[in-house]
Amino acid sequence: MDDANSMGGVINEDHEIPPAKYEYLDHTADVQLHAWGDTLEEAFEQCAMAMFGYMTDLERVEITQVHHIEAEGDDMESLLFHFLDELLFMFSAEPYIVAKKVEITEFNREEFKIKATAYGEEFVIGKHTQGAEVKAITYSAMQINVQPQVEKPEIFVIVDI
């Protein structure tokens, strides 16, 4: 992969979008994202999609660009925090990229590192709806449930809006 693509390039391939496996739960001052998946990786990806879906209607987002992000933490909760924070930064800094799909390409559970690819396009007012602005990810009431008694991994994250 050349440097232009690793920094974010244009793509023309069709990407199959997985079905949504997340929901929004009311919370007093913020919004709680609840995401799940068949694997912990999918639950992380779905949590990222829940965040983007809260900011805009993902049905209007096309896949014209690809961006790569990396995150690391000291434990699983801080890894989730930094993963979402990197994606939020991608949306908050020019050229304001909104992802229609996020795919984790490397998930190191021992060293708490993630590499992921975000597929989407530049956010354009008029083309994309303006949902609530996510200002920050929080650790408040964060839960990552992957115990054997849990049928599928699930995540709860509160975001500051």
Side-chain angles (χ1 to χ4, degrees), residues 7-73:
M7 295 302 291
V10 176
I11 59 171
N12 294 322
E13 299 175 30
D14 287 333
H15 292 277
E16 183 178 336
I17 305 303
K21 296 181 181 177
Y22 57 81
E23 65 184 347
Y24 305 105
L25 305 175
D26 288 333
H27 189 263
T28 53
D30 304 310
V31 172
Q32 186 174 37
L33 309 176
H34 175 213
W36 56 92
D38 293 331
T39 63
L40 186 58
E41 289 86 343
E42 185 184 19
F44 269 57
E45 292 166 350
Q46 287 291 320
C47 193
M49 297 317 306
M51 179 179 72
F52 285 113
Y54 201 74
M55 294 188 283
T56 191
D57 177 6
L58 295 180
E59 292 292 319
R60 296 183 181 208
V61 177
E62 296 178 49
I63 296 176
T64 61
Q65 297 185 25
V66 58
H67 289 267
H68 303 281
I69 63 113
E70 295 183 21
E72 59 183 81

Side-chain angles (χ1 to χ4, degrees), residues 32-161:
Q32 186 174 37
L33 309 176
H34 175 213
W36 56 92
D38 293 331
T39 63
L40 186 58
E41 289 86 343
E42 185 184 19
F44 269 57
E45 292 166 350
Q46 287 291 320
C47 193
M49 297 317 306
M51 179 179 72
F52 285 113
Y54 201 74
M55 294 188 283
T56 191
D57 177 6
L58 295 180
E59 292 292 319
R60 296 183 181 208
V61 177
E62 296 178 49
I63 296 176
T64 61
Q65 297 185 25
V66 58
H67 289 267
H68 303 281
I69 63 113
E70 295 183 21
E72 59 183 81
D74 299 319
D75 56 24
M76 203 55 74
E77 287 78 14
S78 66
L79 180 60
L80 176 60
F81 176 94
H82 292 292
F83 170 66
L84 295 173
D85 197 48
E86 284 295 321
L87 291 166
L88 180 58
F89 178 77
M90 183 184 77
F91 180 82
S92 302
E94 287 192 54
Y96 312 115
I97 301 301
V98 60
K100 184 177 187 88
K101 178 180 180 179
V102 175
E103 183 176 57
I104 293 174
T105 55
E106 291 182 34
F107 194 111
N108 185 323
R109 295 179 192 214
E110 289 77 38
E111 296 179 18
F112 305 109
K113 294 182 180 181
I114 282 181
K115 290 185 181 179
T117 304
Y119 301 92
E121 68 180 333
E122 183 176 345
F123 181 85
V124 176
I125 295 173
K127 176 179 183 177
H128 303 112
T129 58
Q130 282 187 284
E133 176 188 0
V134 174
K135 296 176 185 166
I137 313 304
T138 74
Y139 283 103
S140 175
M142 182 184 283
Q143 294 179 45
I144 301 173
N145 297 326
V146 289
Q147 293 81 16
Q149 67 270 24
V150 176
E151 190 172 306
K152 295 189 186 257
E154 64 178 343
I155 294 172
F156 294 87
V157 176
I158 294 176
V159 294
D160 180 20
I161 56 173

